[in-house]
Amino acid sequence: MSGTLPVIEPVSPAIGARVTGLDLSQDVSDQAWKTVQDAFHQYNVLVFPGQDISVEQQKSFTARFGPLMTHSHLLPMTVEGHPEVMVLHNNEQKPPGLNDWHTDNSGWAEPPLGTSLYAKVTPKVGGDTLYGNMYLAYETLSAPMQELLLQLTATHDVRKAFGPDYGNLQKSLRKKGIDPDQQFAGQDPVEHPLIRTHPETGRRALYISNPYVTRINGVTESESRALLDFLRRHIETNELIYRHRWTQGDLVIWDNRCTQHLAVADYFPHERLMHRLNIAGEKPFLKL
């Protein structure tokens, strides 16, 4: 067991920290884990560079954050014998799919708490991931806008995320023998607060996800479109964002409850291979 306490260094003023001094191929001591957990809640995104870990070791460490999830529609894309581990593999035959700001799986009633992503193969240039701080996205809005958004919810629909607007995702599923239209035919849209309270920190965060959100409820259709357009531009504010340039062996874990991310699809036809895990979460709520 590694008894070394990790070193935590912010990677940007807005979000994210680099964690060094831990070998994740070894068991992490309770004291070191407490340091990691505190940093997770403070910085939202943690980067563990230079890790040489197996699938089992990624699962073991990620499970310290909470139970691991399986997704029935992703099973054909998982590591054999490890249904929790999705293989994200893009190359000349398989272009990158989603190139949009989002938080993972918001179209489900209980979206993931967090995501763990391990870089096995990275392109020499490109393939960065951008992370946005949704605490700051809420806190930098004017008081009247905050008050309005606190009263509203948004509809999230899985069928939108796997619909014609995201053709590469559809193609990826169909190549693996899954018809997204049939897979999600019985999946009803869900309603989440537009501003959610983080259950651990108590802070409020903006909670939207472009691929999933179909409308803001409680306002007219035109008002919904205008608000969504404004919020989508707002989360792209540079001061909210950290851009991570991947290196082979990076493990990055982020908090989906207060973070959005965008995987930049600029590296085609070069290869990028990642292993992804989702950590089970709870139904989003707002505490007034």
Side-chain angles (χ1 to χ4, degrees):
M1 176 179 290
S2 175
T4 305
L5 286 183
V7 177
I8 313 293
E9 300 172 290
V11 292
S12 83
I15 186 171
R18 182 183 296 106
V19 184
T20 55
L22 281 185
D23 179 358
L24 300 184
S25 69
Q26 307 294 317
D27 289 337
V28 175
S29 70
D30 290 343
Q31 189 176 9
W33 164 246
K34 179 66 165 56
T35 302
V36 168
Q37 191 176 40
D38 290 345
F40 184 67
H41 291 147
Q42 181 176 355
Y43 295 106
N44 310 351
V45 178
L46 298 182
V47 179
F48 300 83
Q51 300 296 325
D52 184 8
I53 55 175
S54 66
V55 171
E56 291 84 358
Q57 289 161 345
Q58 183 185 0
K59 286 173 59 176
S60 178
F61 180 68
T62 305
R64 295 289 292 268
F65 292 84
L68 304 180
M69 301 180 72
T70 59
H71 303 285
S72 59
H73 65 289
L74 299 178
L75 289 177
M77 304 176 192
T78 57
V79 175
E80 185 175 356
H82 300 279
E84 312 92 342
V85 185
M86 180 185 180
V87 178
L88 297 175
H89 193 194
N90 300 107
N91 52 32
E92 190 172 0
Q93 288 74 42
K94 187 185 176 188
L98 186 59
N99 188 27
D100 203 353
W101 282 100
H102 65 286
T103 182
D104 283 341
N105 300 99
S106 70
W108 276 261
E110 296 183 348
L113 175 159
T115 300
S116 162
L117 196 59
Y118 180 55
K120 296 181 69 65
V121 177
T122 59
K124 289 183 179 179
V125 179
D128 299 352
T129 301
L130 280 62
Y131 295 96
N133 187 328
M134 293 302 103
Y135 290 141
L136 293 181
Y138 169 71
E139 293 166 0
T140 53
L141 295 169
S142 67
M145 181 60 75
Q146 290 180 1
E147 187 61 32
L148 171 63
L149 299 184
L150 287 170
Q151 303 173 54
L152 301 175
T153 64
T155 296
H156 298 241
D157 194 339
V158 172
R159 293 167 295 187
K160 177 174 180 283
F162 293 92
D165 289 347
Y166 299 94
N168 282 343
L169 289 180
Q170 279 194 331
K171 290 177 184 176
S172 295
L173 288 181
R174 289 198 167 104
K175 282 182 179 179
K176 296 293 185 178
I178 292 182
D179 183 335
D181 294 331
Q182 293 180 0
Q183 176 74 24
F184 303 117
Q187 183 100 14
D188 292 330
V190 295
E191 190 173 319
H192 296 314
L194 205 53
I195 307 299
R196 67 178 296 179
T197 301
H198 195 288
E200 303 294 336
T201 68
R203 294 176 68 183
R204 291 172 175 171
L206 178 64
Y207 193 68
I208 60 172
S209 190
N210 288 352
Y212 291 94
V213 172
T214 57
R215 66 161 291 133
I216 294 176
N217 305 309
V219 296
T220 67
E221 187 65 36
S222 61
E223 289 170 340
S224 170
R225 288 195 300 269
L227 273 174
L228 283 174
D229 184 54
F230 164 73
L231 292 173
R232 286 165 180 156
R233 293 197 309 272
H234 178 61
I235 65 173
E236 296 174 352
T237 303
N238 287 334
E239 288 78 8
L240 306 180
I241 294 170
Y242 162 62
R243 183 175 187 131
H244 182 66
R245 182 176 183 182
W246 291 91
T247 300
Q248 184 177 342
D250 284 351
L251 175 71
V252 179
I253 298 181
W254 64 88
D255 191 331
N256 280 298
R257 299 167 295 185
C258 54
T259 304
Q260 287 203 43
H261 62 283
L262 185 154
V264 183
D266 60 353
Y267 54 93
F268 178 81
H270 302 290
E271 186 178 20
R272 185 177 187 262
L273 173 60
M274 307 286 202
H275 282 176
R276 191 193 83 169
L277 297 169
N278 278 157
I279 306 158
E282 64 287 305
K283 183 175 175 59
F285 68 92
L286 171 63
K287 184 177 181 181
L288 294 172

